[in-house]
Amino acid sequence: MSGRRSGGRRGRQLAEANDPPKRKVDYRNLRNPFPPAPAFTDDRVQAIHEAALTVLETLGIKVLLPEARRLFAAGGARVDEDSEMVFIGRDIAMAAVDSAPKVIPLRAGARHRDLELSLGSMIFQPGAGAPHATDLERGRRPGTLRDFRELVQLTQHFDALHMVPPLIEPQDVPPHLRHYAMTEAVLTQSDKLPGVYARGTPQVMDCFEMVRDFRGLSDDDFMAESHCYTIINTNSPRQIDIPMAQGLIDFSRAGQVIIVTPFTLMGAMAPITVAGALTLSHAEALAAITLTQLVRPGAPVTYGTFTSNVDMKSGAPAFGTPEQVKASLGSGQLARLLGLPWRCAAGSAANINDAQAAHETEISAWGAVLAGASIIIHSAGWIEGGLSVSYEKLITDMEMVQVFAELCAETPATDADIALEALAEIQPGGHFFGSAHTMERYETAFYAPLVADWSNFGTWTERGAIDANTRATGIWKSILGDFKPPEHGDDRLGHLTDFIARRSAEGGAPPES
Amino acid sequence: MSGRRSGGRRGRQLAEANDPPKRKVDYRNLRNPFPPAPAFTDDRVQAIHEAALTVLETLGIKVLLPEARRLFAAGGARVDEDSEMVFIGRDIAMAAVDSAPKVIPLRAGARHRDLELSLGSMIFQPGAGAPHATDLERGRRPGTLRDFRELVQLTQHFDALHMVPPLIEPQDVPPHLRHYAMTEAVLTQSDKLPGVYARGTPQVMDCFEMVRDFRGLSDDDFMAESHCYTIINTNSPRQIDIPMAQGLIDFSRAGQVIIVTPFTLMGAMAPITVAGALTLSHAEALAAITLTQLVRPGAPVTYGTFTSNVDMKSGAPAFGTPEQVKASLGSGQLARLLGLPWRCAAGSAANINDAQAAHETEISAWGAVLAGASIIIHSAGWIEGGLSVSYEKLITDMEMVQVFAELCAETPATDADIALEALAEIQPGGHFFGSAHTMERYETAFYAPLVADWSNFGTWTERGAIDANTRATGIWKSILGDFKPPEHGDDRLGHLTDFIARRSAEGGAPPES
């Protein structure tokens, strides 16, 4: 059993990161193994839901895009063009919930990467949307295309990460060309479901075309199922801005899945109470979902929330707090009331990958898991409340994500597992190291850690007293060093390159705001 | 809202550690808010239970103490004196389960520290039983009485820690006098329920007398309820040694609560499978519980387990693994089958308080919480698989424990919390910082972090880029610097001092083995 150990600590870690494990656990299609935990009694969930419908009906939502207001009006909502306010009757909102699909197939670049999005599915994404990247070797810096590409490769490497979000912002690529570079990196370095920003119709149409052609799809095939996704944040309180409204329309028309996510920090852009913040978040989510169904009944859309609190002394956002957990649990109850798949988030406000960072991500991730979230974003690497993605934290958090994935697997309890024979064989005070029951199973019985070092203090000290963060540096460098992009035809790559060259020459597509 | 901020980072942290918070949440009597999560189907839980009864009946348990074997024999078990094996019929074991109390009142040094131990209670203990103490200022060292005293003071400080275990071993006190020094420190520095080692009758009787007299109790009052507790580990597989068997007898006779805890590492002293390890652990726990009830029907005893896996490459114990979580969930099912309160554990095998340490403690603690454990030991400070208690980790883990305590509190969702008025008051794109709804609640709405620093990267860097571990050093030093022991009469202290002086002069009481 000690035969596999080789060389020093670093050598062993790297070997472990690269060797194909004997133990094969399918981390690709996870179903949440935990009973959902509630924050509220059922009658208070209903009260929050009713209050949100009252918000939509009587207080209204400001919708900045004229086309969206026209769609709402055509769907029966009362629209005040002067104030840009839209008042959505509860019958309209609930009809939209009824027509939204409850199970959404997601088509990736390879069939084993396809996903099914529903209540009960458990899909992990790494941290997303950060302006900065950081690692122990190169320090904290504005994100670059190289960082983005590397982080996509790390996302591709881990089976327990299921979608590729816009991890960081490649600020060295000009905004009118950035979506080409990002989509190119995601398509060529990963065969997982790509995320696309909704930054105006021209960029979105470029991205749809790139995904469609790289996947070798006809227009009809592309629109028949979701081949990419976007995240739509409302501008809380009670506002949907132009690119977000346009995204809701464009993605719904094209049948590409929309993950609706009001970002409601309690005490800042939302009421200070969990119940109040969720009332607002629920109303905004329903408004966005309603628009998608007015565009195209049956358009794939998820419910979602990102509700945490601020530090009331400084106004700074906080994550991994008990209030965030409670908001996640309450959102899960609201999602189940609607019957829709939904998105929740982990997260940390720590500035480095220290004990605070790990605790905050764990607490918020467990909150999302126990809330029954279908998609858990920011589950690895996200620090500074989203201002950086840390390469090391991505690795150390993956230990947590992989443990969640392991917990989805059944715990065998056949008579052979109960092991009465082995128990009879080993005498009192003996040990099971060499028993037949152990020998048959020892290579595959246990999860092999990604970054944890279980050596004792003396051995660990002799090997250089290397902490988890520093070990993580070795691991991500090893993964990147060995990275092989998934197979795809040269013709597709050539076509993609040509498309980007042509569109860039035509001036690209600046983001809209 | 920014008025309360003062001075630099360090100053603020220390102030926060000391100021009485405006927000008062009762962390003292916690009920687990989560639905218990299963590892097995009900029929396989029953199969494990039946297999464990078969182990007791046909394979037997080796019991090294003659008096314990006599008690088993008198209770109807078949005893083979030559092999010291005891074979316990399932009717005897299940009669013991029936007579064991399902609700155990625990009497501390002050009424607000009393506890009720049952299925559903959630009682936290810090790390226990470590030979070493470690902190960033003084380094890692064999535990001393000073360390023990300080760690008792830290345990006393936090309301969310409910019992005082033997955190570390004060190795500078000779073994025959150590129980005096430890019990003196626990009684004088804390009014929480004291733990007592079962290291032979003479030490145990000394400790009972110290606790009884310091609490001002008659013999009858002392024996009528639990005023201290002990942990009984079996020697897995299938063995109960002399001090453990003697502890089961002594504590049962005196009516002091016993926390039964087989320590079964999968692949080492237990089968490599979760189901097999739990079969063994369950059998051993039932054997120990049976002995308590043969001594005195109704004697207060809990079920318990400490089951994790080893690293099959090195044999080193691992904690915070998916296998540990699954074992905890399965143990919870077995405890609920018996209807007994039970003890589970968090833990980490990391060698320092890094991201690995935080992740492992979080994962194992969530496992214990979701398993519905009544007592969760090693929830703060325990590293190196129990070879050290870290002062800094005790502080950073307390953030997690306090979040668990916060999650026990109801999430208010009255109409005022739902906040329709505030939602109507704040216009689209506005913020809730200054709203009446916020102003009424901002000082008490949110959990105030113990060690988390939510300042942004720039501010955090200006303040010295201090990580959570270093902040934790400041926090424990501040707590110790300001520590005031709970009130107790001078006469009781004098009596305790006299007792210890007299017993020490008489030669003390060496531990038995």
Side-chain angles (χ1 to χ4, degrees):
Chain A
M1 273 173 285
S2 58
R4 289 186 62 207
R5 185 184 272 179
S6 69
R9 177 82 234 142
R10 177 70 62 109
R12 186 152 69 98
Q13 284 293 344
L14 299 188
E16 279 169 11
N18 296 328
D19 284 355
K22 293 211 171 52
R23 187 159 178 277
K24 292 277 184 200
V25 178
D26 184 3
Y27 289 172
R28 288 173 183 168
N29 277 281
L30 305 178
R31 300 291 297 177
N32 192 319
F34 295 103
F40 303 113
T41 56
D42 287 349
D43 67 306
R44 298 322 292 167
V45 175
Q46 191 65 42
I48 291 170
H49 175 62
E50 292 296 332
L53 292 174
T54 301
V55 167
L56 289 179
E57 214 161 46
T58 65
L59 302 181
I61 301 280
K62 189 168 187 173
V63 177
L64 301 189
L65 185 73
E67 184 186 3
R69 291 198 300 275
R70 281 194 298 275
L71 284 160
F72 274 119
R78 181 164 64 86
V79 173
D80 182 321
E81 276 295 322
D82 288 345
S83 63
E84 303 177 311
M85 293 298 292
V86 174
F87 303 86
I88 305 166
R90 57 190 65 210
D91 51 332
I92 303 170
M94 291 315 292
V97 169
D98 284 346
S99 74
K102 309 305 178 279
V103 179
I104 303 172
L106 304 175
R107 301 290 265 177
R111 292 296 66 78
H112 66 267
R113 299 293 191 194
D114 288 350
L115 301 166
E116 188 185 271
L117 180 52
S118 62
L119 280 174
S121 61
M122 194 158 80
I123 292 169
F124 289 100
Q125 291 189 19
H132 298 92
T134 185
D135 67 67
L136 288 185
E137 297 220 330
R138 295 170 293 189
R140 181 179 186 268
R141 68 269 182 190
T144 66
L145 184 58
R146 179 179 170 183
D147 297 327
F148 181 75
R149 203 176 181 82
E150 289 176 350
L151 290 167
V152 168
Q153 292 172 343
L154 293 177
T155 304
Q156 171 68 8
H157 174 81
F158 291 106
D159 272 358
L161 295 175
H162 303 107
M163 294 179 169
V164 188
L167 294 110
I168 56 100
E169 196 65 29
Q171 299 189 51
D172 56 342
V173 183
H176 67 291
L177 303 178
R178 198 173 290 168
H179 63 295
Y180 302 124
M182 293 174 78
T183 305
E184 192 269 350
V186 174
L187 288 174
T188 61
Q189 303 306 305
S190 174
D191 54 8
K192 299 180 181 178
L193 192 81
V196 168
Y197 271 126
R199 288 175 171 167
T201 301
Q203 285 202 357
V204 167
M205 293 303 145
D206 277 344
C207 292
F208 285 171
E209 193 168 338
M210 284 187 275
V211 173
R212 182 199 65 193
D213 292 350
F214 198 80
R215 296 291 192 240
L217 301 168
S218 69
D219 252 342
D220 285 351
D221 286 344
F222 179 75
M223 290 181 63
E225 288 181 304
S226 289
H227 301 273
C228 60
Y229 76 95
T230 199
I231 294 203
I232 295 292
N233 297 124
T234 49
N235 294 97
S236 307
R238 291 194 287 129
Q239 185 163 285
I240 300 177
D241 70 16
I242 287 174
M244 293 292 100
Q246 192 65 61
L248 286 165
I249 295 170
D250 292 338
F251 277 74
S252 296
R253 280 197 182 127
Q256 305 305 301
V257 67
I258 293 164
I259 300 174
V260 171
T261 309
F263 184 23
T264 44
L265 286 173
M266 293 174 245
M269 58 279 241
I272 194 166
T273 50
V274 174
L278 289 188
T279 300
L280 177 63
S281 174
H282 191 60
E284 294 177 357
L286 286 172
I289 290 167
T290 299
L291 180 55
T292 67
Q293 302 304 304
L294 293 177
V295 170
R296 172 168 151 165
V301 63
T302 78
Y303 185 77
T305 192
F306 196 4
T307 304
S308 192
N309 56 301
V310 294
D311 176 1
M312 290 311 294
K313 290 192 287 295
S314 67
F319 298 97
T321 64
E323 290 76 23
Q324 185 186 8
V325 173
K326 289 175 168 203
S328 297
L329 300 182
S331 296
Q333 293 180 279
L334 290 162
R336 287 188 293 281
L337 187 73
L338 304 181
L340 296 182
W342 71 290
R343 171 266 200 213
C344 196
S348 168
N351 286 296
I352 45 166
N353 189 25
D354 60 1
Q356 176 188 343
H359 278 293
E360 289 180 339
T361 298
E362 282 275 353
I363 288 166
S364 50
W366 278 98
V369 166
L370 295 176
S374 317
I375 299 174
I376 302 170
I377 198 172
H378 308 323
S379 17
W382 203 78
I383 57 169
E384 294 179 45
L387 296 182
S388 282
V389 166
S390 155
Y391 282 59
E392 283 81 20
K393 186 162 168 58
L394 193 148
I395 298 297
T396 54
D397 286 344
M398 280 313 298
E399 195 91 273
M400 172 192 78
V401 174
Q402 294 191 160
V403 170
F404 282 129
E406 290 281 336
L407 293 174
C408 294
E410 194 190 2
T411 310
T414 65
D415 291 348
D417 298 306
I418 288 176
L420 265 183
E421 262 185 59
L423 287 166
E425 175 192 336
I426 306 304
Q427 294 311 302
H431 66 77
F432 291 76
F433 278 118
S435 78
H437 188 262
T438 301
M439 294 309 287
E440 283 161 17
R441 291 167 174 83
Y442 81 91
E443 287 189 301
T444 56
F446 303 138
Y447 167 70
L450 173 65
V451 65
D453 180 341
W454 295 331
S455 57
N456 66 34
F457 189 84
T459 306
W460 175 80
T461 304
E462 278 164 28
R463 287 175 179 165
I466 301 169
D467 75 350
N469 239 352
T470 309
R471 297 197 300 273
T473 305
I475 293 168
W476 69 253
K477 287 176 70 177
S478 164
I479 294 169
L480 293 181
D482 294 340
F483 185 78
K484 302 264 184 306
E487 299 274 324
H488 43 70
D490 284 347
D491 53 332
R492 290 192 187 168
L493 185 59
H495 193 281
L496 181 64
T497 309
D498 292 348
F499 174 86
I500 294 172
R502 176 172 61 80
R503 290 288 296 126
S504 299
E506 289 167 3
E512 296 187 356
S513 61
Chain B
M1 273 175 283
S2 59
R4 289 186 63 206
R5 184 184 273 176
S6 69
R9 177 82 232 143
R10 177 71 61 110
R12 186 151 72 97
Q13 284 292 341
L14 299 187
E16 279 169 12
N18 297 327
D19 286 353
K22 292 211 170 53
R23 186 159 178 278
K24 292 278 185 200
V25 178
D26 184 4
Y27 288 173
R28 288 174 183 168
N29 277 282
L30 305 178
R31 301 291 298 177
N32 192 319
F34 295 102
F40 304 113
T41 55
D42 287 349
D43 67 307
R44 297 323 291 167
V45 174
Q46 191 65 41
I48 291 170
H49 175 62
E50 292 295 332
L53 292 174
T54 301
V55 167
L56 288 179
E57 214 160 47
T58 65
L59 302 181
I61 300 280
K62 188 169 188 172
V63 178
L64 302 189
L65 184 73
E67 183 186 4
R69 293 199 299 276
R70 282 196 298 275
L71 283 160
F72 273 119
R78 180 164 64 85
V79 174
D80 182 321
E81 276 295 322
D82 289 344
S83 64
E84 303 176 310
M85 292 299 291
V86 173
F87 303 86
I88 306 166
R90 57 190 66 211
D91 51 332
I92 301 170
M94 291 315 291
V97 170
D98 283 346
S99 73
K102 309 304 177 278
V103 179
I104 303 172
L106 304 175
R107 301 289 264 176
R111 292 296 66 79
H112 66 266
R113 300 293 191 193
D114 289 349
L115 300 167
E116 187 184 271
L117 180 53
S118 63
L119 279 174
S121 61
M122 194 157 80
I123 292 170
F124 290 101
Q125 292 188 19
H132 298 92
T134 186
D135 67 67
L136 288 185
E137 297 219 329
R138 295 170 293 189
R140 181 179 186 268
R141 69 269 181 188
T144 66
L145 184 57
R146 178 179 169 181
D147 297 327
F148 181 76
R149 204 176 180 83
E150 289 176 350
L151 290 167
V152 170
Q153 292 172 344
L154 294 177
T155 304
Q156 171 68 9
H157 174 81
F158 292 105
D159 272 358
L161 295 175
H162 303 106
M163 293 179 168
V164 188
L167 294 110
I168 57 99
E169 197 65 30
Q171 299 189 51
D172 55 343
V173 183
H176 67 292
L177 303 177
R178 198 173 291 167
H179 62 296
Y180 303 124
M182 292 174 78
T183 304
E184 192 269 349
V186 174
L187 289 174
T188 61
Q189 304 306 304
S190 174
D191 53 9
K192 298 180 182 179
L193 192 80
V196 167
Y197 270 127
R199 288 175 171 168
T201 301
Q203 285 202 358
V204 167
M205 293 304 144
D206 277 344
C207 292
F208 284 172
E209 194 168 336
M210 284 186 276
V211 172
R212 181 198 66 194
D213 292 350
F214 198 79
R215 296 290 192 240
L217 300 168
S218 68
D219 253 341
D220 285 351
D221 286 345
F222 179 74
M223 291 180 64
E225 288 181 305
S226 289
H227 301 273
C228 60
Y229 76 95
T230 198
I231 294 205
I232 296 292
N233 297 124
T234 50
N235 295 96
S236 307
R238 291 195 286 128
Q239 185 163 285
I240 301 178
D241 69 17
I242 288 175
M244 293 291 100
Q246 193 64 60
L248 287 165
I249 295 170
D250 292 339
F251 277 74
S252 296
R253 281 198 180 124
Q256 304 305 300
V257 67
I258 292 164
I259 300 173
V260 171
T261 309
F263 184 24
T264 44
L265 287 173
M266 294 174 246
M269 56 279 241
I272 194 166
T273 50
V274 173
L278 289 188
T279 300
L280 178 62
S281 174
H282 192 60
E284 295 178 357
L286 286 172
I289 290 167
T290 299
L291 180 55
T292 67
Q293 302 304 303
L294 293 176
V295 170
R296 172 168 151 165
V301 63
T302 79
Y303 185 76
T305 192
F306 196 5
T307 305
S308 192
N309 56 301
V310 294
D311 177 0
M312 290 311 294
K313 290 192 287 296
S314 66
F319 297 97
T321 64
E323 291 76 23
Q324 185 185 7
V325 173
K326 289 175 169 202
S328 297
L329 300 182
S331 296
Q333 293 180 278
L334 290 162
R336 288 188 292 280
L337 188 72
L338 305 182
L340 297 182
W342 71 290
R343 170 268 200 212
C344 196
S348 167
N351 286 296
I352 45 166
N353 190 25
D354 61 359
Q356 176 188 343
H359 278 294
E360 289 180 338
T361 298
E362 281 275 353
I363 288 166
S364 50
W366 278 98
V369 165
L370 295 176
S374 317
I375 299 175
I376 302 169
I377 198 171
H378 308 324
S379 15
W382 203 77
I383 57 170
E384 293 179 46
L387 296 182
S388 283
V389 166
S390 155
Y391 283 58
E392 282 80 20
K393 185 162 168 61
L394 193 147
I395 298 297
T396 54
D397 286 344
M398 280 312 298
E399 194 91 273
M400 172 192 77
V401 174
Q402 293 191 160
V403 169
F404 282 130
E406 289 281 336
L407 293 174
C408 294
E410 194 192 359
T411 310
T414 64
D415 290 349
D417 297 306
I418 288 176
L420 265 183
E421 262 185 60
L423 287 166
E425 175 192 337
I426 306 303
Q427 295 309 303
H431 67 76
F432 290 78
F433 277 118
S435 78
H437 188 263
T438 301
M439 295 308 289
E440 283 161 17
R441 292 167 174 81
Y442 81 91
E443 287 189 301
T444 56
F446 303 139
Y447 167 69
L450 172 66
V451 64
D453 180 342
W454 294 331
S455 57
N456 65 34
F457 188 84
T459 306
W460 175 80
T461 304
E462 278 164 29
R463 287 174 179 166
I466 301 169
D467 74 351
N469 240 350
T470 309
R471 296 197 301 272
T473 304
I475 293 169
W476 68 254
K477 287 177 70 177
S478 163
I479 294 170
L480 293 181
D482 295 339
F483 185 78
K484 301 262 182 309
E487 299 273 325
H488 43 68
D490 284 348
D491 53 332
R492 290 192 185 166
L493 186 58
H495 193 280
L496 181 65
T497 309
D498 292 347
F499 174 87
I500 294 173
R502 176 172 61 80
R503 290 289 297 126
S504 299
E506 290 167 3
E512 297 186 356
S513 60

